[in-house]
């Protein structure tokens, strides 16, 4: 995984307003206010505007923001929650959010929809100025001045001074003093100042040539907007020197030649104009071609020094149709339209379509099939129609399918003759006769329907034992299995008879037999950590941190993502599987429980999983646990070295005010009272 980049920013949020909010109070009005959450780093509220659905707030908030994951700003969000202030509490109106990468690289203006459970509940407008503050550095590989004139007949002894046209940069660097007409400066100090892309494009570097006797005799000016390089390659400066001292005005060919390279050249800047909305960014242009592009859709944007897009040439006009071309003949004669046409008579009902008598009627044959199941069960007849029926003579509404509840289809009201009388297609010409063939389908017992309602463990146990279809196996609180019949809604302790058809897993055809001895029931083990926010845990694991360490970090830092990242950055030792993290019910203080030794402690264990066998060896030798842990952690798992140190020095356990911690694979001693960390043992004997 690539190393994350640290970013520092200045943020200003102002000009906040809402439109078309939902009325929560009597009279259809609300008392809205906004809650801003900037990546859970800075939270603040606006003032409350009384009785308004289109409020405008006077909030103007400025603060500094820092993160060590500057390359993942698109995963961080500014969340704005709009709420209605009531006398007894508050009502939720909706939420709008935008990622920080869009704020940093997009326009200043934002116009977003307020959503309440996915439904629009108004709009919010605000402006955010987010500027990246970069520690820009310039490293010199070589620097020299060519054709420097002689001063009063002597070779000049000069040095270079570097300043900018902006005092807030606080840049004042000097090179060493070199004598000669072509001096070379080998040990030039690096130039460093804090800036941003917009500021750097209007910054000029003033390079002064200072003589040891006369002072500044000339200078050169460098414009950064004409010397840009973001790849880290070498950059060559060739700057003419303009002399201001009277003794050097005769020579104007002197030049400053330098080879440098930049580090941390800024590439983030807001777009010029435009607006960011739910569909993307519209009517904006980039501040500079090197500025990083937002990850949202952009409509009509280009670089600051943009070139107009080439428009496609208009299509050539079609050649005119020659007059000699004959008209296209029409197969239909023109319809004469009289000047006064009589009204068209409209019949009240459509006349029936005449049917020729020479065509025989369409035979309809019904071929019923006797059911093979008892007559007490419902029987369904499905008919298949072959051919084409243009228009039925009579339509009888039938709900879903026709149910025939009598087993004897040859006699009674549902005989084939009666069936042909109920559904009678019209006599229409057709190439093939229409045949309606009812098919009797035997209903099947849905074996999986009741299994889907069971708990996964009960379902797996039922399938493993191969119980009949209506039966399932459960476990009583005392651990004894019992059986439930889902048809009769009765339970019993004795397993049901295996003579019926057995339940099989989906897709399995082999007959399953019930084992003679029931398998032991597996109970879920207790979780090693208290529950945490799943979204924050997923964010930490996506950053590359260990899942158990991420869960422990969130618990230790009260679900604060920033503090959790800081704690994880110290590379703590993952907890061994023998330890659980728990919370005291009375004091809500965290403590660690050892499931193997059946003891607890307040301090975090520092022995890793692979060093647990060595610790057991030291404990079996009779050493105290606190001393054995300290020695083994100091010697990084070397049990022999830890044993020798304990035997030769006979140390006493550390006082209770000290705790052992491991940061970046180094064991430290933490004073719980003052928070001071010591690398050496605070009491004798020392290592």
């Amino acid at each position: 995984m690539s190393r994350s980049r640290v970013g520092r920013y200045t943020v200003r949020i102002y000009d906040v307003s809402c439109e078309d909010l939902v009325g929560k109070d009597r009279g259809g009005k609300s008392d809205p206010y906004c809650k801003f959450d900037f990546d859970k780093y800075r939270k603040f509220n606006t003032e409350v505007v009384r009785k308004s659905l289109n409020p405008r707030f006077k909030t103007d908030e400025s603060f500094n923001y820092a993160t060590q994951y500057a390359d993942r700003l698109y995963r961080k969000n500014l969340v704005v929650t709009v709420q209605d202030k009531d006398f007894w509490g508050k009502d939720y109106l909706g939420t709008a959010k935008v990622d920080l990468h869009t704020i940093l690289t997009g326009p200043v203006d934002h116009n977003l929809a307020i959503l309440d459970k996915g439904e629009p509940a108004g709009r919010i407008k605000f402006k955010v100025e987010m500027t990246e503050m970069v520690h820009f550095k310039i490293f010199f590989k070589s620097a020299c001045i060519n054709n420097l004139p002689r001063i009063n007949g002597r070779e000049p002894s000069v040095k270079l001074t570097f300043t900018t046209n902006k005092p807030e940069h606080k840049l004042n660097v000097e090179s060493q003093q070199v004598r000669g007409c072509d001096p070379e400066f080998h040990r030039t100090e690096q130039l460093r100042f804090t800036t941003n892309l917009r500021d750097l494009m209007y910054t000029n570097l003033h390079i002064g040539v200072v003589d040891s006797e006369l002072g500044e005799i000339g200078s050169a000016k460098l414009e950064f907007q004409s010397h840009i390089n973001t790849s880290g390659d070498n950059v060559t400066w060739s700057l003419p020197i303009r002399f201001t001292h009277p003794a050097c005005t005769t020579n104007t060919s002197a030049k400053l030649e330098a080879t440098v390279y930049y580090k941390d050249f800024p590439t983030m800047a807001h777009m010029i104009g435009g607006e960011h909305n739910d569909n993307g960014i519209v009517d904006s242009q980039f501040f500079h071609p090197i500025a990083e592009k937002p990850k949202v859709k952009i409509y009509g944007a280009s670089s600051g020094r943009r070139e107009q897009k080439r428009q496609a040439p208009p299509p050539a006009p079609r050649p005119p149709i020659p007059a000699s071309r004959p008209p296209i003949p029409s197969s239909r004669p023109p319809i004469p339209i009289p000047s006064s046409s009589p009204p068209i008579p409209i019949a009240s009902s459509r006349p029936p379509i005449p049917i020729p008598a020479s065509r025989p009627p369409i035979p309809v044959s019904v071929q019923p099939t006797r059911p093979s199941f008892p007559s007490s069960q419902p029987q369904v007849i499905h008919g298949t129609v072959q051919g084409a029926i243009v228009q039925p003579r009579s339509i009888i509404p039938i709900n879903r399918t026709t149910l025939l509840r009598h087993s004897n289809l040859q006699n009674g009201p549902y005989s084939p003759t009666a069936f042909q009388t109920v559904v009678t297609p019209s006599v229409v010409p057709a190439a093939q006769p229409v045949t309606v063939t009812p098919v009797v389908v035997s209903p099947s017992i849905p074996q999986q329907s009741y299994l889907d309602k069971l708990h996964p463990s009960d379902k797996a146990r039922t399938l493993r034992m191969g119980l009949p279809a209506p039966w399932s196996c459960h476990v009583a609180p005392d651990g004894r299995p019992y059986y439930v019949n889902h048809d009769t809604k009765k339970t019993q302790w004795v397993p049901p008879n295996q003579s019926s058809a057995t339940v099989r897993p989906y897709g399995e055809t082999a007959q399953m037999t019930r084992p003679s001895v029931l398998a032991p029931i597996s109970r879920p083990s207790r979780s090693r950590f208290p529950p945490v926010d799943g979204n924050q845990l997923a964010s930490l694991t996506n950053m590359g941190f260990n899942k158990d360490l991420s869960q422990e970090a969130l618990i230790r830092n009260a679900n604060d993502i920033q503090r959790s990242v800081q704690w994880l950055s110290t590379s703590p030792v993952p907890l061994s599987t023998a330890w659980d993290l728990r919370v005291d019910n009375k004091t809500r203080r965290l403590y660690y429980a050892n499931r193997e030794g059946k003891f607890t402690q307040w301090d975090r264990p520092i022995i890793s999983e692979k060093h647990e066998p060595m610790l057991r060896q030291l404990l079996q030798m009779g050493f105290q646990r606190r001393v054995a842990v300290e020695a083994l952690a100091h010697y990084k798992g070397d049990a022999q070295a830890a044993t020798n140190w304990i035997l030769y020095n006979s140390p006493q356990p550390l006082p209770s005010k000290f705790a052992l911690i491991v940061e970046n694979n180094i064991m430290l001693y933490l004073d719980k009272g003052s928070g001071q960390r010591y690398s050496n043992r605070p009491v004798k004997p020392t290592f």
Side-chain angles (χ1 to χ4, degrees):
M1 177 182 292
S2 60
R3 186 177 181 182
S4 301
R5 182 171 59 88
V6 178
R8 298 173 179 85
Y9 310 89
T10 60
V11 184
R12 181 192 175 198
I13 303 176
Y14 62 101
D15 197 7
V16 184
S17 62
C18 297
E19 296 178 355
D20 303 329
L21 295 180
V22 178
K24 292 289 186 177
D25 299 339
R26 293 181 180 179
K29 297 292 184 179
S30 295
D31 302 330
Y33 69 98
C34 299
K35 297 177 62 177
F36 284 82
D37 185 353
F38 195 90
D39 188 31
K40 300 182 181 179
Y41 185 89
R42 181 66 177 268
K43 300 180 181 180
F44 63 92
N45 298 348
T46 64
E47 73 276 10
V48 179
V49 178
R50 300 291 179 181
K51 304 299 180 182
S52 176
L53 298 181
N54 301 285
R56 189 175 186 86
F57 306 96
K58 300 179 181 179
T59 300
D60 192 341
E61 191 79 11
S62 300
F63 55 91
N64 296 326
Y65 170 67
T67 177
Q68 63 181 14
Y69 300 102
D71 52 346
R72 304 174 189 175
L73 290 179
Y74 58 91
R75 296 182 180 178
K76 303 175 180 293
N77 295 317
L78 167 62
V79 181
V80 186
T81 304
V82 184
Q83 295 181 339
D84 172 38
K85 181 68 174 179
D86 291 336
F87 181 79
W88 296 106
K90 56 192 176 182
D91 292 332
Y92 175 77
L93 297 181
T95 302
K97 67 178 180 179
V98 56
D99 64 278
L100 301 191
H101 188 270
T102 302
I103 293 178
L104 180 61
T105 59
V108 176
D109 294 342
H110 300 268
N111 185 354
L112 304 175
I114 301 174
L115 301 179
D116 180 10
K117 297 181 181 179
E119 299 295 331
R123 301 195 68 83
I124 182 170
K125 297 180 180 180
F126 56 91
K127 295 183 178 180
V128 184
E129 295 179 0
M130 185 176 179
T131 306
E132 183 183 25
M133 306 307 298
V134 178
H135 294 304
F136 180 51
K137 308 177 189 64
I138 304 174
F139 296 89
F140 286 87
K141 287 193 170 183
S142 63
C144 65
I145 299 178
N146 298 328
N147 301 327
L148 196 63
R150 300 176 68 89
I151 302 176
N152 298 329
R154 64 174 178 84
E155 289 186 347
S157 178
V158 296
K159 65 179 179 180
L160 301 178
T161 60
F162 300 91
T163 57
T164 62
N165 58 338
K166 298 189 176 183
E168 60 268 18
H169 291 164
K170 299 179 182 180
L171 180 65
N172 188 7
V173 178
E174 297 181 355
S175 68
Q176 75 274 21
Q177 198 88 17
V178 180
R179 179 179 295 276
C181 294
D182 296 317
E184 295 184 1
F185 306 92
H186 297 287
R187 295 186 300 274
T188 305
E189 186 180 352
Q190 64 174 343
L191 310 182
R192 178 185 305 178
F193 56 92
T194 303
T195 183
N196 55 77
L197 179 58
R198 189 180 295 272
D199 181 39
L200 189 61
M201 292 299 101
Y202 299 102
T203 300
N204 298 329
L205 182 64
H206 178 83
I207 306 174
V209 182
V210 181
D211 184 70
S212 58
E213 297 180 3
L214 303 180
E216 184 172 329
I217 59 177
S219 63
K221 185 177 72 171
L222 172 73
E223 296 180 354
F224 283 103
Q225 62 180 355
S226 58
H227 295 77
I228 298 174
N229 186 278
T230 59
S231 61
D233 299 334
N234 293 340
V235 180
T236 302
W237 293 351
S238 181
L239 308 174
I241 298 177
R242 180 175 174 268
F243 293 97
T244 56
H245 198 275
C248 305
T249 55
T250 57
N251 191 339
T252 59
S253 62
K255 284 188 176 183
L256 172 65
E257 303 285 346
T259 301
V260 301
Y261 67 93
Y262 304 144
K263 186 176 181 181
D264 296 335
F265 197 95
T267 58
M268 300 286 188
H270 281 296
M271 300 179 72
I272 301 174
E275 184 183 67
H276 170 241
N277 54 33
D278 302 316
N279 298 325
I281 298 175
V282 295
D283 300 334
S284 295
Q285 62 179 8
F286 298 109
F287 172 75
H288 198 275
I290 69 169
E292 189 168 338
K293 310 302 185 291
K295 295 184 181 297
V296 298
K297 291 184 179 181
I298 304 174
Y299 302 93
S302 60
S303 61
R305 307 181 183 191
R306 58 180 177 179
E307 299 179 358
Q308 296 293 338
K309 294 184 178 180
R310 297 181 180 179
Q311 299 182 356
R318 284 180 153 185
I321 301 176
S324 60
R325 182 176 180 179
I328 300 174
S330 177
S331 60
R332 296 183 179 181
I335 302 174
I337 302 176
S339 58
S340 60
S341 57
I344 301 174
I346 301 175
S348 59
S349 61
R350 186 175 179 181
I353 301 175
I355 301 175
S358 59
R359 298 287 183 93
I362 300 176
V364 178
S365 60
V366 179
Q367 301 175 3
T369 305
R370 287 184 177 273
S372 59
F373 47 84
S375 59
S376 59
Q377 298 184 5
Q379 306 164 8
V380 184
I381 294 182
H382 299 271
T384 58
V385 182
Q386 300 176 0
I389 298 177
V390 179
Q391 183 181 1
R393 181 173 300 175
S394 60
I395 300 176
I396 299 176
I398 301 175
N399 295 330
R400 298 183 182 177
T401 58
T402 304
L403 299 178
L404 304 183
R405 301 187 179 275
H406 295 269
S407 61
N408 188 3
L409 298 180
Q410 299 295 335
N411 302 319
Y414 291 95
S415 60
T417 307
F419 188 83
Q420 292 180 2
T421 304
V422 174
V423 182
T424 306
S426 62
V427 181
V428 294
Q432 297 179 358
V434 178
T435 304
V436 179
T437 306
V439 179
V440 179
V441 180
S442 175
S444 59
I445 300 176
Q447 297 182 352
Q448 296 293 333
S449 59
Y450 75 95
L451 292 178
D452 296 338
K453 301 178 182 180
L454 301 179
H455 190 272
S457 61
D458 297 335
K459 180 179 179 181
R461 189 181 304 106
T462 302
L463 294 174
R464 184 174 65 250
M465 296 179 61
L467 297 180
W471 292 89
S472 63
C473 181
H474 303 263
V475 178
D478 59 353
R480 184 180 177 186
Y482 65 95
Y483 305 91
V484 179
N485 190 318
H486 293 269
D487 289 345
T488 60
K489 306 299 181 182
K490 295 182 179 180
T491 61
Q492 64 184 34
W493 296 108
V494 181
N497 190 5
Q498 291 291 316
S499 60
S500 303
T502 57
V503 178
R504 301 180 180 87
Y506 181 78
E508 187 172 339
T509 59
Q511 178 78 15
M512 299 185 65
T513 58
R514 184 169 61 92
S516 57
V517 180
L518 295 179
I521 301 170
S522 59
R523 299 185 179 274
S525 59
R526 180 173 178 176
S527 177
R528 297 181 57 203
F529 302 98
V532 296
D533 189 353
N535 295 332
Q536 295 182 354
L537 180 61
S539 301
L540 293 178
T541 54
N542 291 338
M543 296 177 188
F545 295 119
N546 180 274
K547 183 178 180 181
D548 291 343
L549 283 177
S550 302
Q551 195 168 355
E552 183 183 1
L554 291 173
I555 298 170
R556 290 173 60 93
N557 298 282
N559 288 328
D560 191 338
I561 193 74
Q562 294 291 339
R563 287 163 46 190
S564 300
V565 170
Q566 294 177 1
W567 184 76
L568 291 171
S569 301
T570 61
S571 302
V573 178
L575 276 182
S576 171
T577 55
W579 291 94
D580 295 341
L581 178 60
R582 300 178 184 176
V583 181
D584 188 15
N585 295 330
K586 294 183 179 180
T587 62
R588 308 305 300 173
R589 184 179 174 185
L590 298 178
Y591 68 98
Y592 296 87
N594 190 297
R595 289 182 283 112
E596 295 181 356
K598 306 298 181 181
F599 65 93
T600 60
Q601 64 183 40
W602 296 112
D603 299 336
R604 186 179 187 275
I606 60 173
I607 300 299
S608 61
E609 181 78 16
K610 65 179 181 180
H611 295 157
E612 282 287 341
M614 294 76 167
L615 178 61
R616 296 191 191 97
Q617 294 179 8
L618 297 180
L619 296 178
Q620 291 175 1
M621 297 174 65
F623 300 145
Q624 299 184 29
R625 172 176 285 273
R626 193 171 176 84
V627 175
V629 168
E630 180 185 2
L632 194 63
H634 176 80
Y635 291 105
K636 298 182 179 180
D638 190 346
Q640 185 63 43
T643 303
N644 294 338
W645 182 80
I646 297 174
L647 292 176
Y648 294 155
N649 296 278
S650 301
Q652 294 296 324
L654 283 174
S656 59
K657 70 173 185 177
F658 291 101
L660 297 174
I661 60 175
V662 175
E663 293 183 356
N664 300 320
N665 297 327
I666 299 176
M667 189 187 71
L668 301 176
Y669 297 86
L670 173 65
D671 190 342
K672 299 179 183 179
S674 62
Q676 186 70 24
R677 289 171 168 81
Y678 303 94
S679 58
N680 297 326
R681 199 168 192 265
V683 294
K684 294 183 179 181
T686 60
F687 289 94

